[in-house]
Amino acid sequence: MFSRKVHATGDISLVPDVSVELVVNTIEDCKKPVVAAVEGLALGGGLELAMGCHARIAAPKTQLGLPELSLGVIPGFGGTQRLPRLLGLSKAIEIMLLSKPIMSEEGKKLGLIDAIVPSQELLKVSRQWALDISERRKPWLRSLHRTDKIGSLSESRDVLKAARQQAKKIAPNMPQHQACLDVIEEGIIHGGYNGVLKEAKVFKELILTETAKGLVHIFFAQRMTSKIPNVTDVGLKPRRIKKIAIIGGGLMGSGIATAFIVSNIHVVLKEINSEYLQKGTKTIEANVRSLVTRGKLTRDKADKALSMLKGALDYSDFKDVDMVIEAVIESVPLKQKIFSEIEKICPPHCILATNTSTIDLNLVGEKTSSQDRIIGAHFFSPAHIMPLLEIVRTDKTSAQAVLDLMTVGKTIKKAPVVVGNCTGFAVNRAFFPYAQSAQLLLHLGVDVFRIDRLISSFGLPMGPFQLQDLSGYGIAVAVGKEFANAFRGRTFQTPLVDLLIKNGRNGKANGKGYYIYEKGSRPRPDPSVLPIIEESRRVANIMPNGKPINITDKEIVEMILFPVVNEACRVLDEGIVVRASDLDTASVLGMSFPSYRGGIVFWADLVGPKYVYDSLKKWSQRFGDFYKPSKFLEERAAGGIPLSAPASSSSGSRSRM
């Protein structure tokens, strides 16, 4: 893909002039008819070439689309001009703006495809079609010159105006959506050929933007996660997982069960009593129903999925399972007890997985003799929707167990990222300073709602305080203790969460937190939380001279995200991830870090390691060790080396992989 070469070198001349030279001059203006035979996938450049031809014949179920906007650019081979002329303006804009492909059957109805024929007849019919054009039995159509589907100028302007409003909502921080609409408009007003010329110019401008660099990086980073040294390159074959057991039917257990049954894998759900079991089963049924309501699942498939679920109150159904996932509360003694029980009952090939989000796996499996089968399967909540699956391996976990879990992860449509074992693993470990730095700023006198607003406008779906409301204060307290014990001296322990709980608040769960939650309306800032925050500030007593600090919007975002970068540096230094880009993928899929910023490490490299280091150093002198830069960051900043550059063997990186 030439965009990667352009990003590596900054040399825009590497972009080939395909649009005018090949598609317009050689194909569309050719004196002989050119017919495209299309099968399988025609996404991006493939569809643009086909649209430059004089007819398009497709095999059934061929995917057609222009997904370039999802990579930060626009179609560059004439797609912005020809798709509206073949399909009509509204549908063409929808396909481009949402990067949403259509099937050839729909393409035929809309006029993008001239005929659909069986695969084995595709070439024969396409050749005959070309002959028919040359003998005037079929029309000789050059799509760039068509205007019959565009509508009047005022109609087109109305459609474009509505599309601009939609683009502002779906892509507020990205330039390519508005640029795409500008280019389409140019072609409508000044003709298709002028549109093609403007498209080529704008494409070259967009390819060098940070948005395009970030989106192209994350596109390839996601594909790299399936390459794990000594697992995927040693000739092992994944074993088929047909039946799994889940222990614990709470929020996580029921979400995990949903993900498996909708992918046709039998699930035994075990609970400690029939009341809890019934509650877990009801949650799963509600999850499946909501997938049907949202059009993600047909009613038939939903019924089939629910028939794959079986409830249990003991281990008698565990004799033939291929994998067990423990999803009980974060209690080490309870987890140890469960693992020593299931080790005796499950077959010897059975994978023994835990969904813990923070506890060290060596502790979980301490009382068993099957440590080669013990692995972390860390799903993110809600587990049937969030795409990331963190696969945690210890020094003893077998390559076969890792490969099997990676494979089943893909079967249930998750993106598996393999990580090493430590408190919080990769994502929660790197992001623990996120909530804590927000609390620290709050106690330095910064307004709670200002912090959330700024983090949302940076591109995260919500700010750290609304996120805390959503996940519940009990989790915040438990996880805070885990990190305070594991990373002494560099955490901030807030008095506020205990005060909120004492005040009868539990975030979204009971409708009262930093925000007010009422059914059918958006969360509203709750002014009655402000006196509790004031009390917490008095208890913490960290404001310089008792006065709130003066701080810019930019500094707030940096003071929340740079500590995350700092912890990510430690994750890289300790070898918790195979490569830096895996942490980028995990931050985007697990923490909803904006994909157009390329992930946490990629973004830090764009900002500049030296700037991140200097800022943290300055804050650590003013506000203490929470901001103290890590050794890894200091070395990279001093040497002018990107954070994402692989560690040299001499750097003493302590790999846990």
Side-chain angles (χ1 to χ4, degrees):
M1 192 176 182
F2 58 78
S3 54
R4 287 179 99 183
K5 286 183 188 153
V6 174
H7 291 162
T9 59
D11 182 0
I12 200 68
S13 70
L14 292 169
V15 177
D17 182 14
V18 172
S19 189
V20 176
E21 275 304 308
L22 176 66
V23 186
V24 175
N25 297 349
T26 310
I27 297 175
E28 197 161 45
D29 291 349
C30 182
K31 299 292 176 273
K32 290 181 179 177
V34 183
V35 174
V38 193
E39 184 171 21
L41 300 174
L43 301 173
L47 180 60
E48 291 182 279
L49 284 177
M51 290 192 294
C53 298
H54 305 119
R56 284 149 298 283
I57 315 300
K61 299 212 166 13
T62 297
Q63 267 194 58
L64 312 162
L66 296 177
E68 285 86 349
L69 274 77
S70 65
L71 294 175
V73 290
I74 61 173
F77 302 163
T80 61
Q81 305 306 307
R82 291 188 182 86
L83 195 63
R85 285 167 169 74
L86 286 165
L87 274 186
L89 191 55
S90 294
K91 188 66 188 176
I93 286 174
E94 181 193 317
I95 286 172
M96 287 186 268
L97 247 52
L98 304 178
S99 295
K100 189 175 157 189
I102 59 171
M103 300 309 264
S104 48
E105 288 72 10
E106 191 182 350
K108 167 81 172 69
K109 270 192 210 127
L110 296 166
L112 176 59
I113 297 297
D114 295 288
I116 294 179
V117 300
S119 185
Q120 59 274 24
E121 290 174 32
L122 188 58
L123 287 177
K124 188 181 102 187
V125 173
S126 303
R127 288 182 187 123
Q128 185 57 49
W129 204 284
L131 289 171
D132 288 350
I133 294 175
S134 70
E135 289 162 14
R136 301 283 182 252
R137 286 198 295 274
K138 292 261 193 305
W140 189 313
L141 296 171
R142 292 186 299 169
S143 29
L144 198 58
H145 298 259
R146 288 179 62 176
T147 53
D148 53 301
K149 290 197 174 178
I150 294 288
S152 73
L153 195 53
S154 67
E155 284 168 348
S156 299
R157 285 203 158 126
D158 287 346
V159 171
L160 285 161
K161 189 179 171 191
R164 286 186 199 287
Q165 295 303 321
Q166 187 197 9
K168 269 193 192 125
K169 277 189 200 138
I170 60 170
N173 294 346
M174 294 189 257
Q176 70 273 28
H177 295 70
Q178 299 294 347
C180 183
L181 295 167
D182 291 344
V183 170
I184 292 170
E185 186 167 26
E186 173 81 11
I188 288 169
I189 295 169
H190 299 293
Y193 189 68
N194 282 320
V196 163
L197 296 178
K198 177 156 181 165
E199 178 193 82
K201 177 175 169 286
V202 171
F203 180 89
K204 286 180 178 176
E205 289 164 6
L206 285 170
I207 200 169
L208 290 174
T209 60
E210 290 192 350
T211 299
K213 288 175 183 170
L215 288 167
V216 168
H217 168 76
I218 208 73
F219 176 83
F220 286 105
Q222 284 188 36
R223 279 143 189 81
M224 280 300 286
T225 57
S226 55
K227 294 180 171 62
I228 305 297
N230 303 319
V231 173
T232 56
D233 56 358
V234 289
L236 287 174
K237 292 271 181 288
R239 297 173 299 194
R240 188 150 170 245
I241 290 179
K242 292 184 287 212
K243 181 179 175 184
I244 72 150
I246 295 169
I247 302 173
L251 182 70
M252 287 310 295
S254 55
I256 296 165
T258 308
F260 277 93
I261 61 173
V262 298
S263 300
N264 288 329
I265 294 173
H266 287 275
V267 172
V268 175
L269 180 70
K270 182 190 176 294
E271 257 299 357
I272 48 171
N273 62 41
S274 50
E275 184 196 335
Y276 282 1
L277 182 59
Q278 199 178 0
K279 202 173 161 197
T281 308
K282 281 217 162 82
T283 309
I284 294 164
E285 286 166 0
N287 289 344
V288 171
R289 268 202 309 279
S290 84
L291 291 171
V292 174
T293 311
R294 288 175 26 235
K296 304 274 183 199
L297 207 61
T298 64
R299 212 166 279 286
D300 287 352
K301 285 195 173 148
D303 292 342
K304 173 141 197 278
L306 290 169
S307 75
M308 310 289 273
L309 178 69
K310 185 179 182 190
L313 296 173
D314 57 34
Y315 291 125
S316 56
D317 281 307
F318 282 45
K319 291 190 190 66
D320 61 345
V321 296
D322 303 306
M323 177 164 71
V324 177
I325 301 174
E326 165 275 306
V328 301
I329 55 167
E330 297 284 63
S331 151
V332 174
L334 177 59
K335 287 180 192 289
Q336 288 180 339
K337 176 177 176 287
I338 287 169
F339 273 81
S340 55
E341 286 169 357
I342 58 176
E343 179 189 32
K344 297 183 185 84
I345 290 153
C346 296
H349 73 274
C350 178
I351 295 167
L352 310 176
T354 172
N355 177 55
T356 179
S357 55
T358 43
I359 298 170
D360 187 317
L361 259 65
N362 288 324
L363 269 176
V364 173
E366 201 174 60
K367 305 248 190 311
T368 74
S369 55
S370 307
Q371 294 185 0
D372 59 329
R373 296 193 272 152
I374 289 179
I375 195 163
H378 179 216
F379 290 80
F380 288 71
S381 185
H384 59 297
I385 293 169
M386 288 295 277
L388 184 65
L389 170 60
E390 238 180 352
I391 296 177
V392 189
R393 59 174 171 182
T394 69
D395 300 338
K396 301 190 181 81
T397 309
S398 73
Q400 184 69 56
V402 175
L403 183 67
D404 291 348
L405 190 47
M406 284 174 74
T407 308
V408 82
K410 286 176 189 164
T411 305
I412 61 168
K413 299 181 177 59
K414 300 291 173 203
V417 173
V418 177
V419 301
N421 179 35
C422 65
T423 301
F425 317 129
V427 180
N428 287 347
R429 159 90 184 269
F431 275 82
F432 87 78
Y434 172 71
Q436 295 191 2
S437 48
Q439 288 283 350
L440 197 120
L441 280 180
L442 179 82
H443 287 85
L444 288 169
V446 182
D447 176 60
V448 56
F449 303 116
R450 183 185 176 196
I451 293 170
D452 268 6
R453 201 170 53 247
L454 290 170
I455 292 297
S456 293
S457 55
F458 175 82
L460 277 104
M462 63 185 75
F465 296 102
Q466 197 183 337
L467 182 66
Q468 200 169 69
D469 270 358
L470 192 66
S471 49
Y473 300 159
I475 286 179
V477 172
V479 170
K481 281 181 188 148
E482 287 283 339
F483 288 121
N485 291 334
F487 308 122
R488 288 182 191 282
R490 61 170 201 263
T491 61
F492 174 69
Q493 287 180 278
T494 173
L496 179 57
V497 181
D498 286 332
L499 290 172
L500 290 169
I501 293 169
K502 206 184 287 178
N503 186 257
R505 292 169 190 258
N506 192 23
K508 195 179 177 188
N510 70 353
K512 278 179 84 69
Y514 301 100
Y515 295 80
I516 298 166
Y517 298 86
E518 285 166 351
K519 220 172 173 61
S521 61
R522 294 167 74 89
R524 293 195 319 278
D526 184 358
S528 71
V529 81
L530 299 176
I532 307 168
I533 290 172
E534 280 309 320
E535 187 189 340
S536 191
R537 283 174 179 154
R538 279 195 299 277
V539 173
N541 191 25
I542 60 167
M543 280 194 252
N545 308 320
K547 290 197 172 63
I549 60 168
N550 262 332
I551 188 168
T552 65
D553 289 354
K554 180 170 175 276
E555 283 171 320
I556 288 174
V557 172
E558 291 173 352
M559 283 182 85
I560 286 174
L561 292 175
F562 286 3
V564 177
V565 172
N566 199 27
E567 198 59 39
C569 286
R570 294 188 180 99
V571 167
L572 295 174
D573 192 31
E574 292 171 28
I576 300 295
V577 286
V578 175
R579 52 187 81 80
S581 65
D582 285 3
L583 194 50
D584 286 331
T585 297
S587 70
V588 168
L589 299 180
M591 285 305 294
S592 302
F593 191 83
S595 56
Y596 56 84
R597 297 192 190 276
I600 189 71
V601 185
F602 186 87
W603 173 72
D605 276 338
L606 282 179
V607 171
K610 186 170 185 330
Y611 178 70
V612 176
Y613 170 78
D614 290 344
S615 304
L616 286 165
K617 184 108 179 113
K618 178 180 73 187
W619 302 329
S620 68
Q621 284 156 359
R622 273 189 75 190
F623 307 118
D625 280 353
F626 178 80
Y627 290 107
K628 189 180 174 184
S630 65
K631 195 110 185 71
F632 181 93
L633 175 60
E634 187 179 353
E635 284 168 7
R636 294 287 167 116
I641 304 161
L643 302 179
S644 57
S648 62
S649 48
S650 61
S651 72
S653 165
R654 314 181 292 288
S655 176
R656 311 239 181 133
M657 296 295 288

